Amino acid sequence: MWRGAARTLRRVWRAPGRPCSSGRGDTTSAPRSVSNCWSCGCQGAPAGGDPLFCPSCRALQPPSPEPDFFRLMDCGQSFTVDIPNLKRRYQQLQRLVHPDNFSQKSQTERDYSEQHSTLVNEAYKTLLTPMSRGLYLLKLKGMEISEGTDTNVDLEFLGKMMEVNEKLSAARSEVETEEIQAFVRDEEKGLIEDLGHAFKQGDLQKAKELLKKMKYILNLDEKVKQKKTLS
């Protein structure tokens, strides 16, 4: 069974298949480090990458210490991601590295399976939503945004957010709340489109400013959901 699984995983990891990205972002092509297999000592076993099984003894190898989520999920390094393909890739990988498949294997392989499964989950969740995907892209480029909302946002936008917050607090009917939610969703859609353009043009500073605004919008959207739940 594991010979077949290993062959399948080699095809999954090496062949680009259907790209996760629907745009033409830069693909990650950093060379994979190579080391001996921890189990049989076979030379040429990947140090946590491609394929995940040793080509000789089929032992599961350790995950990469510095994984690239886009490469792991078979995506181009782009803000624009094909979500259905991302979901298929996630399911495909989890079927191969899920801990249940390694219950009768060595403790080392069980540990590696847990690590791989956790890594795949983290990669999927990170690339699934525009906010986390954008933050991750910035991080890969050496830029980060502090936790929480940032007051270093243009005053016009902050004023608009304060006004909408006040309207939400004063809303007494479902119709009023629905109108506010529609406004918030429209703002979010516009920010996502602008982020796509900013990343495509390589304007990381613009992308950073847009992601700061996105934090406010998502926070407001959460407040709307809570309001609707309580009403």
Side-chain angles (χ1 to χ4, degrees), residues 72-122:
L72 174 63
M73 303 309 290
D74 202 15
C75 295
Q77 198 178 98
S78 168
F79 180 74
T80 304
V81 166
D82 186 320
I83 298 301
N85 282 346
L86 176 66
K87 290 181 177 179
R88 280 191 288 270
R89 174 68 168 175
Y90 167 74
Q91 294 166 353
Q92 187 180 45
L93 291 177
Q94 281 293 14
R95 282 195 298 268
L96 291 165
V97 300
H98 195 278
D100 288 350
N101 297 332
F102 294 84
S103 60
Q104 302 302 314
K105 294 293 181 176
S106 68
Q107 183 61 51
T108 298
E109 283 187 276
R110 292 201 298 271
D111 290 343
Y112 287 159
S113 174
E114 290 277 0
Q115 293 168 24
H116 279 298
S117 184
T118 298
L119 185 62
V120 170
N121 280 330
E122 184 181 358

Side-chain angles (χ1 to χ4, degrees), residues 126-196:
T126 298
L127 301 186
L128 183 61
T129 64
M131 184 70 196
S132 56
R133 190 188 316 135
L135 291 174
Y136 182 65
L137 265 174
L138 280 187
K139 184 177 180 180
L140 290 179
K141 303 296 184 180
M143 299 179 69
E144 295 193 51
I145 298 177
S146 59
E147 292 292 329
T149 52
D150 193 331
T151 55
N152 188 24
V153 179
D154 70 78
L155 295 179
E156 182 180 353
F157 177 80
L158 286 177
K160 184 191 294 185
M161 292 300 98
M162 290 178 63
E163 181 181 347
V164 177
N165 265 300
E166 290 172 358
K167 287 183 178 179
L168 180 61
S169 297
R172 293 293 179 266
S173 69
E174 185 176 347
V175 173
E176 290 176 298
T177 305
E178 290 285 353
E179 288 178 351
I180 294 171
Q181 186 174 51
F183 168 80
V184 171
R185 296 290 170 82
D186 189 57
E187 287 288 304
E188 182 181 358
K189 181 180 178 181
L191 284 173
I192 291 173
E193 291 177 356
D194 291 343
L195 277 165

Side-chain angles (χ1 to χ4, degrees), residues 191-220:
L191 284 173
I192 291 173
E193 291 177 356
D194 291 343
L195 277 165
H197 292 309
F199 277 115
K200 187 175 182 179
Q201 295 169 0
D203 191 344
L204 299 183
Q205 189 58 45
K206 177 68 173 178
K208 184 176 181 178
E209 296 305 315
L210 290 169
L211 285 168
K212 289 179 182 179
K213 292 181 178 181
M214 180 76 82
K215 281 191 174 186
Y216 281 92
I217 291 296
L218 294 179
N219 183 51
L220 187 53

